[in-house]
Amino acid sequence: QVQLVESGGGSVQAGGSLTLSCVASGRLSTVNDMGWYRQAPGNQRELVATITSSGIPNYADSVKGRFTISRDNAKNAVYLQMNSLKPEDTALYYCNADVRTPYHYNSENYWGQGTQVTVSS
């Protein structure tokens, strides 16, 4: 019913930049908070950044000042501009969205399939 499709991952050298994109599609009544999480091998999935429907961002301390989250409500899209990338940013990055559909009264949480970001030193 709801799909989140990420794009934009890849391999860069330390200090480089990447931009991730995620588009939500399906029967969407309301898209609330959207965000990005990441999971490195052997680690738990962790929050990178979230953004409310009104555009208020929230960042993990480890990415503050380097990453910028934004969204386009007309496209049901969320973006993550990543600058000054470090090897420790290497992970599988997942898009997340809190979505209400016509089928349920309450909103539900959805995840994308993940896009790999690899930063070499």
Side-chain angles (χ1 to χ4, degrees), residues 17-20 36 66-70 79-83:
S17 298
L18 282 173
T19 300
L20 305 183
W36 292 94
R66 300 187 299 122
F67 292 9
T68 301
I69 190 170
S70 61
Y79 309 98
L80 186 69
Q81 174 67 44
M82 304 184 293
N83 297 326

Side-chain angles (χ1 to χ4, degrees), residues 20-120:
L20 305 183
S21 301
C22 172
V23 178
S25 63
R27 296 293 303 274
L28 311 175
S29 295
T30 307
V31 181
N32 301 313
D33 290 4
M34 302 185 79
W36 292 94
Y37 291 72
R38 66 188 181 187
Q39 187 168 17
N43 291 352
Q44 291 188 336
R45 191 174 298 188
E46 64 177 9
L47 179 146
V48 176
T50 61
I51 187 166
T52 67
S53 56
S54 58
I56 299 173
N58 176 58
Y59 297 97
D61 288 343
S62 59
V63 306
K64 281 181 181 176
R66 300 187 299 122
F67 292 9
T68 301
I69 190 170
S70 61
R71 66 188 286 170
D72 184 335
N73 290 336
K75 297 180 179 178
N76 294 318
V78 62
Y79 309 98
L80 186 69
Q81 174 67 44
M82 304 184 293
N83 297 326
S84 302
L85 282 161
K86 304 175 181 180
E88 51 263 44
D89 294 318
T90 295
L92 192 59
Y93 283 69
Y94 294 92
C95 177
N96 176 268
D98 185 68
V99 178
R100 191 168 68 85
T101 68
Y103 310 106
H104 298 99
Y105 179 78
N106 296 316
S107 62
E108 294 181 311
N109 211 242
Y110 293 88
W111 293 91
Q113 79 286 354
T115 184
Q116 180 67 38
V117 172
T118 302
V119 184
S120 59

